[in-house]
Amino acid sequence: MECLHIFLSSGLAKTGSLADHKTTMAFNMTSIKTSSDGAWQGDNPLRFAFPLLIVQTTLVLSISRFLAFLLKPFHQPRVIAEIIGGILLGPSALGRNKDFLHLVFPPWSTPILESVASVGLLFFLFLVGLELDLSSIRRSGKRAFGIALAGISLPFIFGVGITFLLRKAVDGEDKVGFSQCILFIGVSLSITAFPVLARILAELKLLTTDVGQTAMAAAAFNDVAAWILLAPAVALAGNGGSHSSPLASIWILISGVAFVAFMLTIIRPAMNWVGRQCSRKHDSMDEAYICLTLAGVMLSGFTTDLIGIHAIFGGFVFGLTIPKGGEFAQRLIKRIEDFVTGLLLPLYFASSGLKTDVAKIQGVKAWGLLVLVISTACAGKVLGTFVVAMLCMTPVRESLVLGVLMNTKGLVELIVLNIGKEKKVLNDEVFAILVLMALFTTFMTTPAVMAIYKPIRRIATQAQPQIQRESNVAENSSQDKLRILACVHGPANVPSLISLIDSTCNANKSPLKLYVMHLMELTDRTSSILMVQRGRKNGFPFIKGFRRGELKDQVGAAFEPYAHFGRVTVRPTKAISALSTMHEDICHAAKKKRVGMIVLSFHKQWRGEGEEAVENVGHEWRGVNQRVLKNAPCPVGVLVDRGFGGVERRVCILFLGGPDDRYALKLGGSMAEHSAVRVTLVRLVEKGKIDSNSISSQGLAQDGCIDVCCASSTTPIYCGKEKELDEATVAEFRSRWEGSAKHVEKEVEATNVLEEVLLAIGRCREYELIVVGKGGFPPNMVAIAQLSDHQPEHAELGPIGDVLASSGRGITASVLVIQHHSLPHEHHQPLLMPIHDHMDDTITAEEPTV
């Protein structure tokens, strides 16, 4: 049996982490086995290292995730839930039950738990260094540097006063050296958590504002300064606070500076070379380089620990040496991020929570000290940042918000406090006070900013016009550029999208300006913040100008050759947001740039003939499309991609009638102008259709119009004009494109016949693209009404689009579903019941799924 030897003696029980678990329990064992022989052999798994570690990890993850779920409506970062979860597991809450503490977190397991957590912390700090771009910090400007300097200096000065007060008020704290206390308490008060701040700004959609950009730049300065201050703090603390040797501290500082210089001058160019070697063509070589890099993280941590600085400092510095652009950094993140941040890092918060005993804060004096520390920390950050921001001619409200944002704490401060406790600079009471201070200041950031400064308003769909006249639909003057906003999830969407835009554009009549928005989900993962840094624009990205070549990712590169033809002006960018608010970014950009149409990529994509649909971006992106369709200020097209493209493109326009179909037909007219596009108009006419005068009056609205006859429609129909508009649009198309476009009429008389016709068109391989309206069909088409009554697979595409986008039915053509214009959903009248022989065929209405 493999054994993990952990020698437990009375001396070890009095030092290190075991001092945090004072217990009278006597240990007779001289070693701890790794795994048990099982319950059937009479072994208790909780008395063995590995099974107990599994139980501890499961418990920590369950509590932290549950708390994150509870705090999500309050827009709190996940670090808050993890800190609270750690405190709840410790002696402040559940740990007050000694039986629970000895069963789940016995003293002998603490070194094992902390060792595993330290591995996660080492690699997490490597990722933090990987996030931090030193070149971007140098370009941030004097304003951000001044704000960061004030945000560090004033809290640090206030920390001197707090240190003096705590040493007098807290028993035992005066036995520690004054300089060591000043450094640890001053650093803990002056830190701004860069990753946590970035996620808060993204959640509030402030990253594109001047406030957000200034706060991010100042936080990056602050992050570097915190590590610069932490190194001498650890060196001066030594092993036991005031008993450290001054000469040893000097050698530690000199060695630390030499290590950083070596890493930045020798290792950094070497890692740049490694980054250039990594490519998709050399996967085996890439694996070797990645393994070598991970080993380098461990070696760097060992080196700084050997010097006398904490091992995590080495991981952070090694992260700074990694090239910030290209595939290499992305592959490193993909390899280690989820495992480190999702599994190992919460263990660090648990080990920290086991050291935090809120019960140590007893009496009015102790709680008064807590209030004083929180007030001083907030006052130092907010006041210092506010004054300098005002001197830089920043408006009062924005200056105040900058101060609140810079007061964000997080993991780095917790690391500083844990090192201070490990070095015995901070005792239990001071440690608990400073942990609660970090928790409170971070928790208050989001609600305080939302109360003071929230420039982004929700999309006001009520301000949109109630109906667009058909004469103005899809028409642009020859002097104006046609503007299209194309939203893509990744490079796989690009070829078909280019083919669609190219088929629609007629450069001789109206040049095209194409806004390409690469949609990226912002999550709690570290790589999300890396995307924010790469994208530069987030939230509402088209407000400011673009520099040539600014977007360097694969999506931007894919559109560059298309833009060089001169027919299209391409403006690419990234939108990095939470999926729940992504539609706001899209709709705001469309309204701001006055685009004529939004093109969305469907959440499924087909790869190869006969294969089932592949959900390449995830089902949750379907909700993004649904919300855009509901709130869009202009027409929307949803592209269901099955490989549209080629030299000669064959396009089918399905026409049943209604505003959406008329817009689709006008779009088809634009395609007919293209020499490489062959357009066929297929008009579906119901056999023996009911006269509109026989419609029951119960569906008529007060203004004389009736609502659409299917759940997918969003536009009211004016009964007296709809048929005239349909006929006029078809007649205009036929007369204008008589020689270049075909016209076919097909009769349908029942739901099953209509579905068979649609499937036949989709399977026939005569067309590469089928363009169809989402809804708003004539109310006297019984086949459509009955088709709408069926349970849809994709209700947001309408009844026709739902059939053509369905999986496993042999459809080979791509589909473009057009919504002419979306209106706020009011309480509609019940849908019409046509008066015909089959009175039991009731037409029902449903609100679109959003």
Side-chain angles (χ1 to χ4, degrees), residues 457-518:
R457 294 187 296 269
R458 297 286 176 182
I459 302 167
T461 53
Q462 289 79 4
Q464 301 301 328
Q466 285 294 311
I467 201 74
Q468 283 185 316
R469 297 300 176 188
E470 296 298 326
S471 59
N472 297 326
V473 174
E475 294 181 1
N476 293 274
S477 64
S478 59
Q479 293 82 9
D480 295 333
K481 283 188 176 182
L482 175 64
R483 298 167 181 247
I484 294 178
L485 172 60
C487 303
V488 298
H489 304 126
N493 303 128
V494 173
S496 295
L497 183 61
I498 290 179
S499 298
L500 174 64
I501 301 299
D502 184 61
S503 302
T504 307
C505 173
N506 185 350
N508 297 325
K509 297 188 64 176
S510 179
L512 173 66
K513 178 172 283 189
L514 177 62
Y515 299 99
V516 181
M517 181 183 283
H518 186 183

Side-chain angles (χ1 to χ4, degrees), residues 474-476 482 484 496-510 512 562 567 597-599 636-640 644-654 660-681 733 736-742 767-773 814-818:
E475 294 181 1
N476 293 274
L482 175 64
I484 294 178
S496 295
L497 183 61
I498 290 179
S499 298
L500 174 64
I501 301 299
D502 184 61
S503 302
T504 307
C505 173
N506 185 350
N508 297 325
K509 297 188 64 176
S510 179
L512 173 66
Y562 182 54
R567 301 176 58 187
M597 184 177 179
I598 300 172
V599 179
V636 180
V638 180
L639 178 61
V640 182
F644 175 55
V647 178
E648 186 179 36
R649 303 160 193 164
R650 302 180 302 277
V651 178
C652 171
I653 312 296
L654 283 179
D660 293 350
D661 276 14
R662 290 194 294 270
Y663 190 90
L665 187 56
K666 288 181 178 290
L667 191 66
S670 300
M671 293 181 177
E673 296 183 32
H674 201 293
S675 58
V677 180
R678 298 290 178 264
V679 177
T680 301
L681 169 61
F733 179 88
R736 189 171 182 180
W737 311 110
E738 185 67 31
S740 56
K742 297 180 182 179
Y767 310 112
E768 291 183 317
L769 177 68
I770 301 174
V771 183
V772 62
S814 299
V815 182
L816 179 65
V817 180
I818 299 294

